[in-house]
Amino acid sequence: MLPVVLFLVFGVCLPASRLEPGLAQTSPGETRAAREAPAVEPSPDGGRPNILFILTDDQDVGSVAEMPNVRSLLAAEGTSFDRAFVTTALCCPSRSSILRGQYSHNHRIWTTREPYGGFGRFQDLGLGESTVATWLDGAGYHTGYMGKYLNEYGSFDDPTTHIPPGWDRWVGYEGGPNQQLLDGAFKVNDQGRVDRVDTGTVHDTDYLAREAEAYIKNRNAKNPWFLAVGTNAPHEPADASERNDGTYAGRAMPRGPAFNEADVSDKASPWRDNPRLPKECPRDYREKPQAQCLREAIEHWRDRMEALQDVDDMVGRLVAALREEGSLENTYIVFSSDNGFAMYDNRVFSKGAPYENSHGVPLIVRGPGVPAGRTDSRLVANVDLAPTFADWAEAETPSFVDGRSLVPVLSDPKAPWRTRLLFEHRLGGNAYDAIRTSSDEVYIEYPRTGETEYYDLTEDPYQLEGEATSPPPELETHLQRLKNCAGAECRKADGEP
């Protein structure tokens, strides 16, 4: 039996094409997999695994504690990385890094919208012509993508029928009205046909779970496949299914020492003006994406956890499908997110900050030969995912890739690995470059203001005391090398063994 790898992706961004879509109404009982266009299955070539990648949107590391299926079916049966990060803590740049294994300064996707980001820029730069999908498709894998892709990939009002290169089975989420499902529907591009799906019939996470389950069950067991599934959850507005809505009512939100930090005078100017959260909302309170008071922050947390219960249900459903097909033990399952999310730690309620809660993400790997119940503390990142998938698939990795395959560290706890990682961001006045080391040092430069911050996480794990002074001089040198590296040079600059 060949090993299987399932790739679930949450929240990738791409610009809408101007092709005229064909609209179709989906009936409540219709399974879209039954309409799947016939695909030419590759010839059996022996031994290569299938791959399942699960990528959520805006998931903080701590929330995994609220996901029993992820803990019991993935973490307990695989390896968890407790120093896993994204190199740019923003949806579209991070997803571009996942697709191509590159830092943002090399793929040049910096934001979620044009002209410096979004699906349109990804298209204009020709980045879609060489991604993990085209590499694995060219190596004989059947490839599937279901869910949220890149920002500005279609919209509810202006959907697209475009299917990015390399994907044999495509179910691309196109959003609801204002991304909030206000009229009880969302749209998807199903194999080039735009469907309107009634949320009274099926919640969007459950819809993706159903389509992914059908994909797994429709595959030829003798041929390898790669499936990516991307959910909206737990991104705002964190809409949960009817069965999970309200399940966190009255629950207390975990709050660490950095929550609503009392003194941010040590932080650089982009963060010093962030106010402390009052306990009560202002009299003229209006609901906004940003929390305005403690009560609202707690409600945001509850909504996010309820939405993640739908993702957890999906994980259980897909693991069950793999077991039923007899392929679970031969399947690599990778679970991660496109960026973290700070729930007002260090007075930040978002991603896009240079701190641990914005860049840190869950990363769990289960599969053939992967040690069960193990935690690995090496410094890993989203740029490592594409070369890892290519390694498993025996596909050629282009020379432009900056990241490293995780295969050596998954098989050998003592395998040498990088000691440095670059964080970079180019959005608004809080643009920064930072270096994060395996010895838990963080040095941040703000090029637009000339400010710096330095943290020794062994002494200050919650980043409460940012010293705006010169760090150890070697960090400045290493940061300069990482900021300008490309391809193999990045693997030298990050402390190549």
Side-chain angles (χ1 to χ4, degrees), residues 13 90-93 109-114 116-119 151-152:
C13 321
L90 192 62
C91 167
C92 203
I109 302 297
W110 288 109
T111 69
T112 59
R113 300 179 181 276
E114 294 190 79
Y116 301 113
F119 174 73
N151 297 77
E152 298 188 330

Side-chain angles (χ1 to χ4, degrees), residues 93-346:
S94 177
R95 293 175 181 277
S96 300
S97 293
I98 289 169
L99 288 167
R100 287 177 56 91
Q102 288 181 295
Y103 282 117
S104 291
H105 69 263
N106 287 325
H107 61 57
R108 294 172 289 165
I109 302 297
W110 288 109
T111 69
T112 59
R113 300 179 181 276
E114 294 190 79
Y116 301 113
F119 174 73
R121 181 168 173 83
F122 194 88
Q123 285 279 86
D124 292 344
L125 293 174
L127 301 179
E129 299 302 316
S130 183
T131 67
V132 66
T134 64
W135 310 342
L136 270 64
D137 191 56
Y141 269 66
H142 191 279
T143 58
Y145 193 98
M146 296 171 181
K148 194 173 179 181
Y149 191 54
L150 296 173
N151 297 77
E152 298 188 330
Y153 172 78
S155 68
F156 188 86
D157 296 324
D158 187 16
T160 177
T161 58
H162 174 78
I163 299 174
W167 299 105
D168 298 312
R169 177 75 180 111
W170 181 261
V171 183
Y173 180 80
E174 307 238 22
N178 301 317
Q179 301 295 312
Q180 295 187 41
L181 312 180
L182 296 180
D183 74 344
F186 59 92
K187 288 179 181 176
V188 295
N189 170 2
D190 182 351
Q191 211 67 24
R193 185 171 104 174
V194 175
D195 289 337
R196 184 183 188 277
V197 183
D198 183 358
T199 55
T201 300
V202 60
H203 182 267
D204 60 317
T205 301
D206 292 342
Y207 171 89
L208 296 173
R210 183 183 73 188
E211 296 301 310
E213 182 181 41
Y215 179 92
I216 292 170
K217 292 183 176 181
N218 284 345
R219 303 275 60 79
N220 185 331
K222 295 181 180 180
N223 300 131
W225 51 264
F226 170 70
L227 175 62
V229 181
T231 69
N232 297 298
H235 192 287
E236 294 293 331
D239 176 64
S241 67
E242 185 176 351
R243 71 180 177 281
N244 286 316
D245 188 30
T247 54
Y248 272 68
R251 291 279 296 273
M253 178 178 74
R255 286 179 258 173
F259 179 77
N260 209 15
E261 187 177 351
D263 181 4
V264 292
S265 61
D266 60 297
K267 302 292 187 293
S269 56
W271 318 109
R272 283 201 298 268
D273 291 337
N274 288 353
R276 293 200 77 195
L277 284 177
K279 290 185 178 180
E280 298 297 328
C281 291
R283 182 172 297 178
D284 60 350
Y285 164 78
R286 296 290 186 274
E287 187 173 348
K288 297 179 181 179
Q290 288 282 354
Q292 300 173 73
C293 56
L294 179 60
R295 177 167 59 85
E296 189 185 12
I298 293 171
E299 286 303 317
H300 276 291
W301 177 81
R302 290 170 178 165
D303 288 345
R304 286 165 56 83
M305 296 309 103
E306 290 168 0
L308 282 173
Q309 300 315 298
D310 294 326
V311 178
D312 198 57
D313 292 344
M314 180 176 68
V315 169
R317 185 169 174 175
L318 297 182
V319 169
L322 290 166
R323 184 179 288 115
E324 290 171 13
E325 294 301 304
S327 56
L328 178 59
E329 297 309 314
N330 296 312
T331 299
Y332 286 105
I333 305 176
V334 179
F335 182 92
S336 193
S337 187
D338 60 354
N339 47 252
F341 198 88
M343 295 294 294
Y344 227 74
D345 287 336
N346 310 114

